[in-house]
Amino acid sequence: MLSQPDQAGFLPLDHMHVLVARLMQLGYQCLGPAVENGAIVMRELDAPDGLPRGLQAEQAPGRYRLTQDPHNRYFAWANGPQAIKPQTFAAKETLWRVERDAAGAQQFAAVKPVVPAQAIIGVRACDLAALALQDAHFLREGRRDRHYAERREQLFLVAVQCAEPAPTCFCASTGDGPTPTAGYDLALAELADGFVAVSGSKKGEAVLDALKLAPATSQQIEAARRQGVSAAASQTRSLPGRTLRDVLMKRLEHPRWDEVAARCLACGNCTAVCPTCFCHAELDEPALDGASSEHARMWDSCFGESHGHLHGFNVRPDIRSRYRQWLTHKLATWHDQFGRSGCVGCGRCIAWCPVGIDLTEEVAALTASEVKP
Ligand code: SF4
Ligand code: SF4
C-alpha cells in the first residue's frame, strides 16, 4: 500500500469534493480527468464537484476506446494519452524574443513562462516515475531548465492507485507501479466506499490535516494493499527484470529491426505519448514585417526525418535506424545517462501506435536467446 499506511486517513466517497475545494481554496488550478476527442485527458475542473465518475477505457495494441465503469468509480481508468509531461514540458513555447528598438538595434529578451499553481488529481504511479526521470533530465546540475523548473515547483500531485491496469500496462515489471510509493503530495487508493489517503510531502500533510479525516481502519488499509497486489498480478505484459543495456547493444544488426521497420509508420505517436521522451526541436518565427522574431521550442521525435539531420547528411536516414534509436536509447543507453531504463511501463506507446507495435513484443524477439532472469 501507499507509503506510511499507519498515518492513513479515510475520505468517504461523497467527500471527494471537499478535497478539491480545499485545493481550490489554496489557489490551485485543479486538473482532473475529462473526455476530449474520445480519450481521457487532464483538464481544469470548474467546480469542486466537477470530477467525473464512471470513466474507463479499453486498451490494446493500436486501440483505445472509452467504456463505462460498471462500479461508477472515480479512477477506474488506467491512463490516457497524457501523463504529467504537458504540464511541465510544454508541447510548444517561446523561449526568447528579439525586437528592433527605435534606433533599429536588435533587443533580445527572455520570455518568462506563465506558471499557474496546479494540482493534478489522478496521477498514476508510472506518471510519477516518469516525472522523476524528466526531473533528472531537465533539472540536472549546471543545466537546469528554467521553464521546466518553474512549472515543476508549482505542482501539487494527487496520485491514485491503479486498481485495474489496462492490458497494455506493465509497470509492475519495471518496478514503477501500480501503487504509488513516492513523488506525490497525496496518494489515494479508491475502495467501494471511499479513499484511503496518505500524504507524501509537507504540503500534502497540511491539506490532509485541514480535511480532518478519520483514520483509515486496518481493514481499509489491508483492502488497499490487496487491491495493489492484485492489480500488479493482473498485468500480462512485461519487460525482463534486469538491465537490457548490454543485450540490446549487442543486437544492433538483428533482422528484427527490419521487420519492425516494415510495420512502423514513423508517425512519432509513441514519442508524443511517452511520459519520459524529452526530445525537442528549436525554431525561429519571424514576424512578417521583419520587426521582431520569436525563438520557440517544440516537442520533436526521433522518428522524424529532420531529427537525424546533421550538417550535410542524415544519421538516421531510414525507419529501421529510427526505431532502433528509440528503443535502444529508451531501454539501453538511458542506463548510462540516468542510471535506469527510460521506460516506466505505462503502455501508452502500445495503445497509441496506429499499427499496434508493442515494445514488449519487440524486446522479447530481439533478446529471446540472451536474457536470463
Ligand atoms: S516506452 Fe512506452 S511503455 Fe515505456 S514509458 Fe514510454 S510510452 Fe510508456
Ligand atoms: S512505433 Fe508506432 S507510434 Fe511509433 S512511430 Fe512507429 S508506427 Fe508510429
Side-chain angles (χ1 to χ4, degrees), residues 149-298:
E150 289 188 16
R151 293 197 177 95
R152 177 73 175 93
E153 278 159 19
Q154 296 285 353
L155 288 183
F156 185 99
L157 300 171
V158 182
V160 293
Q161 179 192 57
C162 279
E164 277 185 53
T168 41
C169 295
F170 53 97
C171 62
S173 72
T174 63
D176 297 307
T179 296
T181 54
Y184 53 77
D185 294 295
L186 287 181
L188 309 173
E190 184 170 10
L191 304 178
D193 51 348
F195 300 91
V196 175
V198 295
S199 63
S201 69
K202 291 277 173 217
K203 283 189 291 184
E205 201 177 310
V207 169
L208 269 198
D209 285 351
L211 297 185
K212 301 192 187 315
L213 302 181
T217 64
S218 54
Q219 289 88 343
Q220 287 164 335
I221 292 169
E222 176 57 14
R225 189 196 67 78
R226 272 192 274 111
Q227 183 164 265
V229 170
S230 121
S234 74
Q235 296 185 3
T236 52
R237 284 182 163 75
S238 65
L239 280 181
R242 49 157 276 184
T243 172
L244 288 164
R245 190 198 178 286
D246 295 343
V247 66
L248 280 179
M249 296 312 278
K250 279 187 206 148
R251 296 289 178 109
L252 295 180
E253 300 308 324
H254 196 288
R256 185 73 183 192
W257 301 116
D258 291 310
E259 283 176 41
V260 69
R263 287 175 282 137
C264 173
L265 308 173
C267 64
N269 261 21
C270 48
T271 54
V273 297
C274 179
T276 69
C277 278
F278 50 67
C279 284
H280 70 272
E282 303 218 358
L283 61 156
D284 289 295
E285 299 181 313
L288 284 178
D289 63 2
S292 64
S293 182
E294 293 195 339
H295 185 86
R297 76 171 167 197
M298 61 189 289

Side-chain angles (χ1 to χ4, degrees), residues 20-32 43-45 84 87-88 112-121 147-158 185 203 207:
V20 182
R22 178 67 192 153
L23 293 169
M24 286 180 170
Q25 260 172 23
L26 291 170
Y28 288 105
Q29 180 188 65
C30 291
L31 306 189
R43 290 290 176 262
E44 186 174 0
L45 301 175
I84 305 169
Q87 263 62 55
T88 48
K112 203 172 151 35
V114 177
V115 185
Q118 288 188 323
I120 310 182
I121 303 165
H147 287 235
Y148 180 94
E150 289 188 16
R151 293 197 177 95
R152 177 73 175 93
E153 278 159 19
Q154 296 285 353
L155 288 183
F156 185 99
L157 300 171
V158 182
D185 294 295
K203 283 189 291 184
V207 169

Side-chain angles (χ1 to χ4, degrees), residues 17 20 47-52:
H17 66 282
V20 182
D49 60 356
L51 266 182

Side-chain angles (χ1 to χ4, degrees), residues 260 263-271 301 303 319 323 326 349 352-357:
V260 69
R263 287 175 282 137
C264 173
L265 308 173
C267 64
N269 261 21
C270 48
T271 54
S301 168
F303 283 92
I319 296 181
Y323 189 87
W326 181 65
C349 58
W352 292 92
C353 172
V355 291
I357 293 173

Side-chain angles (χ1 to χ4, degrees), residues 327-348:
L327 201 76
T328 54
H329 182 215
K330 185 77 53 188
L331 302 179
T333 50
W334 207 293
H335 284 274
D336 301 334
Q337 281 179 286
F338 302 111
R340 62 154 289 175
S341 150
C343 178
V344 297
C346 71
R348 288 181 172 94

